[in-house]
Amino acid sequence: MYLLPLLSTFLSSFLCGSMFARLFGHRGSIVISIFCLLVSFLSSLLIWYEVAIASCEVYVDVFGTWFTVGSFNVYWNIYVDLTTAHMLLTVTSVSFAVHCYATVYMKSDPHLNLFMSYLSLFTFFMVVLVCSDNLIGMLVGWEGIGVCSYLLIGYYSHRLSAVKSAQKAILVNRVSDGLLLWGILWVWWHTGSLEYDLACLSTQTSIFLSLAILIGAMGKSAQIGFHVWLADAMEGPTPVSALIHAATLVTAGVYVMTRLSVFYDGVIIVVGALTALMAGIFGYFQADLKRVIAFSTCSQLGYMMVSVGLGEHGADAAMCHLMTHASFKAALFLAAGVIITSAGGNQHMGRYGGLSAIHCSLFCFLTLLVGCLCLMGLPETSGFYSKETIINLSYVCFNPLADYAHTLLVIAAFITCSYTVKLFIQSFFYDFNGSDFNVNPVNPSPNLLIGVAFTVLLFDIMFKIWTGTNLLSGILFFVPWGVKTLPVGLMIAGFLTATAAVTSRNFGLMRFCATRWGFDQLYARTIVQLVLDWGRITWGTGDKGLFIVNNLYGRSSK
């Protein structure tokens, strides 16, 4: 049973992407992928029950020794503890919902078999990452999801913007992955082991290792400085956005940091707090529906990073927020896909407004509403419990940097409420361009698989409200009443601000914030241009010159 999540996802990818896919056709590939992901989801649910409820941790030797270096052996092993069980259930549930949704969203695509194969392969490598018991196995899954993200973001290869976005994502992650690999090698050099337990490291070594592995996690989790690929990844299909930005690729960095719990450093707190504030500002000034949700993901990842830097309880709170965020963020992306389809493929929020439940179904309207409320942190929602716990922990933590992080997180919470309400109002209430969608209503017929996807995510949200997401809140009874109620007041203030801003066309810092503080321009004019110049010089004096000399020498000898 513990191998079923791995076997079923790999079997789905192999059958949908191999030569056998021609025998099955599109319908056969749809049935195979959904059935395999359903098996993966149900087996993960049983694994979660045995590990979380029955307190039964499992260690499985899969293939024995992988390779040997001297007296050092690396094994293919699976270790399922409480953290792995939580992450495994989150990944498979969201992936199952995305697969169901993708079969309808991509039904007219001529290469549907290949797309479903990529999705299943992505899920397989994510399961490898979370189930591994050592850093080498984790690195295999880490690199696997990186390659699959490149294939999925650039799936529309006929579009130049999609190809450039995929290249940008893989290149930015190459920098961070290189430092992560360097950190793993350093761990092996100093300890002779690649297990997650690194408590035997010295203090000085831990500082350098924490920086290397932190930068590796920053690339995958799109922290400040490495965030430039995240919004451009929206060039991929909407199911890709839901899978990458909900429970899989972007949360891999947070998962690794919670696993390496010895690396508590003030740098993590600073990076996370600045990311939360920066991404919130960027999301507020975006007009593209999917990019707003993408920057909200980046902002929430900043919350998780801050929580990881707050100690053992902070790591638990980060995992709680990771689980709750995965459910409602996937629901937001899938509902956004239905809205975009209902609007004729238009992603600009300023051109919606006339949409209603007639065009994108009442189920989609309610799903988007629930996702927005959870993202805002409405009391008694899953997002409220997990986010409030992180904010309160940053207030009571003895780390001096936590006080500044608390202030930035509170401001980020206010901005989150503002752009979330702005998104919802622009999608369904205000009409800016004067177009009347009621003239030719799209009125898409309800689809069973989209309903299944929405239902799985909504039940997941409700399940996390009632089980385990607010356990850490019980230890925060000594937090002052004003601090605990501050996020609720900021939510109301954000609602009022959004309703005022969405009807106004005068934004003071819009141009600067809409260009995302010029990070892309800065990189393009410094690092990228410098690398291209060096490549041109080496090509002209090295490669080209070498070939010319060899050709001339060959001709003269003849």
Side-chain angles (χ1 to χ4, degrees):
M1 180 184 69
Y2 291 91
L3 296 178
L4 279 178
L6 285 167
L7 295 177
S8 58
T9 52
F10 180 78
L11 183 64
S12 173
S13 176
F14 175 76
L15 293 178
C16 293
S18 65
M19 62 181 71
F20 300 105
R22 295 184 178 181
L23 302 176
F24 305 136
H26 283 189
R27 292 186 179 181
S29 298
I30 289 173
V31 173
I32 290 173
S33 60
I34 292 180
F35 175 75
C36 290
L37 266 295
L38 179 61
V39 171
S40 177
F41 169 58
L42 294 178
S43 59
S44 299
L45 189 61
L46 293 176
I47 291 172
W48 181 86
Y49 175 80
E50 287 196 3
V51 175
I53 305 299
S55 301
C56 178
E57 298 183 357
V58 178
Y59 181 88
V60 179
D61 186 359
V62 183
F63 297 117
T65 304
W66 181 15
F67 62 88
T68 301
V69 179
S71 61
F72 176 70
N73 298 319
V74 176
Y75 302 93
W76 276 114
N77 297 327
I78 291 178
Y79 177 64
V80 182
D81 59 355
L82 185 60
T83 303
T84 302
H86 284 324
M87 195 71 180
L88 191 62
L89 179 60
T90 303
V91 169
T92 54
S93 60
V94 172
S95 183
F96 171 64
V98 170
H99 275 71
C100 293
Y101 181 87
T103 57
V104 180
Y105 189 87
M106 304 290 291
K107 62 181 178 181
S108 60
D109 188 85
H111 306 290
L112 178 62
N113 297 340
L114 184 63
F115 182 77
M116 301 305 295
S117 175
Y118 287 164
L119 284 182
S120 300
L121 187 64
F122 190 101
T123 308
F124 167 74
F125 279 117
M126 192 66 196
V127 174
V128 170
L129 189 150
V130 301
C131 290
S132 177
D133 72 328
N134 57 69
L135 293 173
I136 289 293
M138 179 274 297
L139 188 63
V140 173
W142 185 279
E143 296 298 332
I145 61 177
V147 173
C148 292
S149 66
Y150 170 78
L151 297 174
L152 289 170
I153 294 171
Y155 180 74
Y156 292 137
S157 57
H158 59 279
R159 290 164 46 182
L160 182 60
S161 58
V163 174
K164 287 187 175 182
S165 299
Q167 293 175 349
K168 188 176 184 178
I170 197 71
L171 289 175
V172 172
N173 281 277
R174 285 301 86 203
V175 177
S176 59
D177 292 355
L179 285 172
L180 178 65
L181 177 60
W182 177 72
I184 291 175
L185 292 175
W186 203 357
V187 169
W188 173 74
W189 176 260
H190 284 280
T191 65
S193 174
L194 291 175
E195 303 296 329
Y196 282 122
D197 187 10
L198 305 175
C200 57
L201 295 176
S202 64
T203 305
Q204 185 178 3
T205 306
S206 298
I207 293 175
F208 289 104
L209 280 178
S210 63
L211 291 177
I213 297 179
L214 172 61
I215 294 175
M218 285 172 62
K220 277 288 189 289
S221 295
Q223 299 299 293
I224 185 169
F226 294 88
H227 67 280
V228 292
W229 66 271
L230 186 69
D232 293 330
M234 296 297 102
E235 294 294 336
T238 300
V240 175
S241 303
L243 191 61
I244 290 178
H245 296 87
T248 50
L249 185 138
V250 294
T251 59
V254 177
Y255 172 77
V256 170
M257 294 303 295
T258 56
R259 276 296 192 187
L260 303 175
S261 55
V262 70
F263 298 124
Y264 296 140
D265 198 348
V267 180
I268 307 177
I269 299 176
V270 174
V271 168
L274 292 177
T275 302
L277 180 62
M278 174 204 67
I281 295 175
F282 293 172
Y284 185 86
F285 290 100
Q286 288 294 312
D288 187 288
L289 178 60
K290 290 172 63 175
R291 287 175 181 263
V292 173
I293 304 176
F295 277 119
S296 72
T297 300
C298 185
S299 180
Q300 300 307 308
L301 289 169
Y303 278 86
M304 299 176 202
M305 278 293 184
V306 170
S307 185
V308 169
L310 295 178
E312 183 178 357
H313 293 303
D316 294 337
M319 286 301 300
C320 287
H321 194 48
L322 186 153
M323 294 169 60
T324 57
H325 172 265
S327 301
F328 65 74
K329 187 52 63 67
L332 276 174
F333 268 114
L334 298 188
V338 176
I339 292 175
I340 292 170
T341 304
S342 303
N346 197 330
Q347 297 182 191
H348 197 287
M349 292 190 300
R351 298 184 180 181
Y352 294 160
L355 288 173
S356 64
I358 299 175
H359 303 85
C360 60
S361 78
L362 181 61
F363 203 5
C364 172
F365 179 86
L366 295 177
T367 303
L368 185 69
L369 177 61
V370 171
C372 288
L373 293 178
C374 290
L375 179 60
M376 293 166 58
L378 185 73
E380 300 305 320
T381 60
S382 60
F384 168 76
Y385 286 122
S386 56
K387 185 191 291 187
E388 186 196 32
T389 301
I390 294 176
I391 294 176
N392 291 337
L393 276 175
S394 65
Y395 179 81
V396 300
C397 184
F398 295 106
N399 194 318
L401 294 175
D403 295 334
Y404 299 99
H406 178 265
T407 303
L408 295 181
L409 292 183
V410 167
I411 298 174
F414 166 72
I415 299 174
T416 300
C417 297
S418 299
Y419 66 71
T420 304
V421 174
K422 180 170 170 280
L423 178 151
F424 194 78
I425 291 176
Q426 285 187 331
S427 297
F428 288 103
F429 293 98
Y430 288 113
D431 185 11
F432 294 95
N433 61 350
S435 60
D436 187 7
F437 286 93
N438 294 317
V439 175
N440 295 311
V442 180
N443 194 18
S445 58
N447 190 282
L448 177 60
L449 291 177
I450 291 182
V452 170
F454 284 158
T455 302
V456 168
L457 294 175
L458 290 177
F459 269 113
D460 197 17
I461 293 172
M462 294 298 297
F463 175 74
K464 289 169 181 174
I465 292 175
W466 299 108
T467 58
T469 58
N470 59 342
L471 295 180
L472 285 176
S473 299
I475 66 173
L476 301 175
F477 61 91
F478 49 85
V479 178
W481 179 85
V483 176
K484 296 183 69 172
T485 56
L486 183 59
V488 181
L490 290 174
M491 186 191 68
I492 299 174
F495 176 81
L496 298 176
T497 303
T499 53
V502 80
T503 58
S504 174
R505 300 184 182 274
N506 184 17
F507 297 100
L509 298 176
M510 172 177 283
R511 184 174 182 82
F512 180 64
C513 294
T515 56
R516 290 169 276 178
W517 292 357
F519 273 101
D520 294 280
Q521 292 84 351
L522 178 64
Y523 289 158
R525 294 179 181 180
T526 55
I527 301 176
V528 176
Q529 191 63 41
L530 185 62
V531 171
L532 291 177
D533 290 339
W534 285 351
R536 192 178 299 109
I537 294 172
T538 56
W539 171 78
T541 59
D543 301 337
K544 182 181 176 182
L546 181 63
F547 288 133
I548 292 176
V549 170
N550 288 335
N551 290 335
L552 293 175
Y553 179 76
R555 291 176 183 176
S556 62
S557 62
K558 291 180 180 179

